[in-house]
Amino acid sequence: MKLPYAEPFRIKMVEEIRQSTQEERESWLKNAHYNLFNLKSSQVFIDLLTDSGTGAMSDQQWGALMTGDESYAGSRSFEALHETVKKISGYQYLLPTHQGRAAENVLFSVLVKDGDIIPGNSHFDTTKGHIEIRKAHAVDCTIDEAFDVDNPHLFKGNINLEKLEEVYKSHPKEKIPFCLITITCNSSGGQPVSLENVKAVKELSDRYGIPIYFDSARFAENAYFIKMREKGQENRTIKEIAKEVFSYGVGMTMSSKKDGLVNIGGFIALNDENIFRAASNFTIIYEGFITYGGMAGRDMAALAVGLNEATEFAYLESRISQVEYLGNRLIEFGIPVQKPIGGHAVFIDSLKFLPNIPRDQYPAQTLANEIYKEAGIRTVEIGTLLADRDPETRENRYPKLELVRLAIPRRTYTNNHMDYIAVAIKNVYERKEEIQKGYNIVWESEILRHFTVQLKEA
Ligand SMILES: *Cc1c(COP(=O)(O)O)cnc(C)c1O
């Protein structure tokens, strides 16, 4: 019999989490204006809000914390991080930042101007925010298969080359500073981009003289999918695959809170000395000196270790298999989830789950709130609230999919937790006919409204 996968770690320290009653949860949710971001973590039993910065560090990382060098300039921990990033990405220059969006802010301050066009595969929300705040436009060129949750396409993060070429043809080169490939594609469901697609995008972009950058938050998970799903890649290491992917671009932004396996941090890595110099100025203004960029030395030390651990096959196998395990439990219960199951999260199709809730009453938010009320599980809406309003018309933008994301923190929960989550969602599914109304907005901010929006029952 083939042995099943098992976690390549054992648990050395535990953190207590507490159950609550349904009555408590209903009152907490009301006080939170029906926005799960407003809950206290003590009001949550299992927290699937995000996999960002919520994972568990290893004993090696905790050890590295104690050896962190807090020198303002030229810290040893920066050196360690720089060596690791060079080894993994092949990019020569490194600018640490306090998290991923800060890397976007610094890099886009150099590269993105008013009226620019940034094509890519479903840009992440903060990425889009940093593009739109500069009055530039993010153009989504993701393949259409990504928006059909039942389509079993193995690389739903891929870029459609015709859509991309259309962008390249219809705008002058000067207006397109770069093409951005997000690996894995968070917004389309943690779906990977194939090596073949990256190569094809590179070839096409070369013909138009457009460079490629990677939004690399989950580059290791992406490399795992390439190894498992792409012909000819099965015998390569994760590190070899990741390095080849990066070789087709000129630089990357990174949220270290994902595949860096740390709780905070980010960076830019790139090869162009002039862009590095220009970005260094913005790093100094926004983040800190260029050898720490908003990170403590000890955090850079832990990140250097984390990047190595995150690019090991055994870790990725247990990580992604756990997400798949939860997805398969939900599929067994007949719950409509995006297929194939993504790398960091399971996505529930709320238009199918709650067909009675109109789009302008936010069906995905409604479902997320029901799951919380049922069992104290905090998830997140990836739908109309997240999509924000059109910056010009101020109308709601209705995305193709209205999803609830169950993001699984790394090395944090066991498969018993996954079983608990699956049964809780099954219970909501069984009473879905009773859920007839969604929510209306009481207050919202101009941009990235989902974090702070206040709602009332419709
Ligand atoms: C999380 C994330 C970001 C932003 O990073 P933060 O560390 O949250 O600021 C950017 N892009 C992608 C794809 C992400 O997942």
Side-chain angles (χ1 to χ4, degrees):
M1 197 173 171
K2 185 175 179 288
L3 288 169
Y5 82 93
E7 286 70 21
F9 55 81
R10 52 185 177 177
I11 295 165
K12 195 177 275 201
M13 188 186 280
V14 296
E15 177 184 358
E16 189 182 62
I17 49 177
R18 297 182 75 105
Q19 266 290 15
S20 51
T21 65
Q22 181 142 2
E23 227 176 11
E24 285 175 320
R25 291 192 291 271
E26 281 181 9
S27 118
W28 291 333
L29 187 60
K30 185 160 183 259
N31 290 336
H33 303 281
Y34 301 100
N35 179 348
L36 297 163
F37 281 99
N38 288 332
L39 289 175
K40 295 177 185 157
S41 67
S42 58
Q43 296 167 338
V44 174
F45 182 52
I46 299 178
D47 206 344
L48 308 183
L49 183 71
T50 175
D51 63 321
S52 179
T54 52
M57 292 208 297
S58 67
D59 54 350
Q60 299 292 318
Q61 288 179 287
W62 283 103
L65 276 184
M66 292 305 293
T67 64
D69 174 359
E70 304 303 338
S71 302
Y72 191 95
S75 143
R76 217 168 42 236
S77 304
F78 171 80
E79 287 303 304
L81 180 59
H82 195 180
E83 284 312 308
T84 305
V85 171
K86 267 197 278 193
K87 201 178 71 197
I88 286 177
S89 71
Y91 299 134
Q92 294 308 302
Y93 295 105
L94 171 70
L95 287 169
T97 59
H98 77 272
Q99 59 184 87
R101 70 199 65 187
E104 292 163 355
N105 187 32
V106 169
L107 186 66
F108 296 179
S109 293
V110 179
L111 298 179
V112 180
K113 286 181 279 313
D114 190 335
D116 279 354
I117 308 287
I118 323 286
N121 53 341
S122 300
H123 307 64
F124 183 65
D125 57 353
T126 62
T127 318
K128 203 172 187 168
H130 274 297
I131 291 171
E132 290 179 350
I133 212 164
R134 292 176 168 81
K135 299 197 164 57
H137 304 277
V139 181
D140 187 359
C141 299
T142 312
I143 56 170
D144 292 328
E145 289 89 332
F147 305 104
D148 170 4
V149 292
D150 291 320
N151 189 313
H153 196 289
L154 293 176
F155 290 98
K156 280 178 159 178
N158 280 359
I159 286 183
N160 178 313
L161 298 171
E162 278 145 37
K163 290 188 199 173
L164 183 62
E165 187 156 23
E166 189 50 42
V167 175
Y168 288 168
K169 277 185 178 156
S170 48
H171 301 277
K173 181 182 152 196
E174 304 71 49
K175 288 276 166 212
I176 311 174
F178 56 92
C179 169
L180 188 68
I181 308 182
T182 304
I183 48 177
T184 56
C185 191
N186 190 348
S187 307
S188 81
Q191 297 291 329
V193 181
S194 70
L195 189 58
E196 191 189 11
N197 189 247
V198 173
K199 278 195 219 171
V201 169
K202 155 83 173 155
E203 221 168 83
L204 176 65
S205 304
D206 274 353
R207 275 197 269 129
Y208 289 85
I210 312 287
I212 294 169
Y213 279 85
F214 291 98
D215 179 352
S216 346
R218 297 178 186 80
F219 75 95
E221 292 174 6
N222 199 80
Y224 174 85
F225 283 121
I226 289 174
K227 180 178 170 73
M228 302 307 281
R229 294 180 180 176
E230 200 162 338
K231 267 202 201 79
Q233 301 301 319
E234 58 276 5
N235 295 323
R236 300 178 73 196
T237 66
I238 299 296
K239 288 183 171 70
E240 285 166 351
I241 294 170
K243 197 162 182 177
E244 182 180 345
V245 168
F246 286 130
S247 76
Y248 299 115
V250 297
M252 65 192 280
T253 56
M254 176 73 187
S255 167
S256 306
K257 305 172 73 173
K258 311 338 184 329
D259 281 350
L261 286 175
V262 291
N263 304 116
I264 194 73
F267 59 83
I268 299 164
L270 42 67
N271 277 335
D272 186 299
E273 192 182 344
N274 291 327
I275 297 173
F276 167 71
R277 289 228 167 106
S280 296
N281 289 337
F282 287 105
T283 299
I284 291 169
I285 291 171
Y286 292 135
E287 296 292 303
F289 185 64
I290 56 172
T291 60
Y292 75 88
M295 290 185 76
R298 56 180 172 271
D299 286 337
M300 291 190 285
L303 173 57
V305 177
L307 285 168
N308 270 317
E309 292 178 356
T311 45
E312 284 299 316
F313 179 76
Y315 154 75
L316 283 164
E317 181 186 40
S318 83
R319 154 48 168 188
I320 291 176
S321 300
Q322 182 175 55
V323 178
E324 204 175 22
Y325 174 80
L326 173 62
N328 287 335
R329 293 289 335 253
L330 293 174
I331 291 169
E332 279 165 33
F333 290 143
I335 290 153
V337 299
Q338 185 184 48
K339 289 174 231 131
I341 306 300
H344 66 292
V346 178
F347 291 76
I348 303 174
D349 180 346
S350 17
L351 294 178
K352 291 204 179 111
F353 197 116
L354 293 178
N356 298 331
I357 309 291
R359 293 293 299 264
D360 63 359
Q361 289 183 14
Y362 312 106
Q365 182 66 25
T366 306
L367 178 56
N369 286 352
E370 289 301 323
I371 293 169
Y372 173 70
K373 284 194 259 176
E374 177 71 28
I377 300 161
R378 172 157 67 173
T379 59
V380 76
E381 190 250 23
I382 306 280
T384 304
L385 285 177
L386 179 72
D388 262 326
R389 291 180 190 275
D390 184 285
E392 271 132 45
T393 67
R394 301 306 297 159
E395 292 295 321
N396 265 338
R397 283 192 281 216
Y398 292 106
K400 296 194 183 93
L401 296 175
E402 194 77 46
L403 302 168
V404 169
R405 183 183 75 180
L406 317 174
I408 312 300
R410 294 167 180 77
R411 306 191 288 208
T412 303
Y413 293 112
T414 68
N415 281 8
N416 284 337
H417 291 112
M418 300 303 123
D419 288 333
Y420 176 96
I421 295 159
V423 170
I425 294 171
K426 175 179 191 280
N427 290 348
V428 177
Y429 197 55
E430 280 170 0
R431 61 176 173 80
K432 66 185 188 329
E433 294 306 327
E434 296 159 30
I435 306 163
Q436 294 286 352
K437 279 192 199 154
Y439 295 87
N440 293 323
I441 291 178
V442 179
W443 180 86
E444 67 185 285
S445 64
E446 284 264 315
I447 197 164
L448 298 177
R449 63 178 173 178
H450 58 290
F451 288 120
T452 51
V453 70
Q454 297 186 347
L455 301 165
K456 67 172 193 304
E457 285 174 326

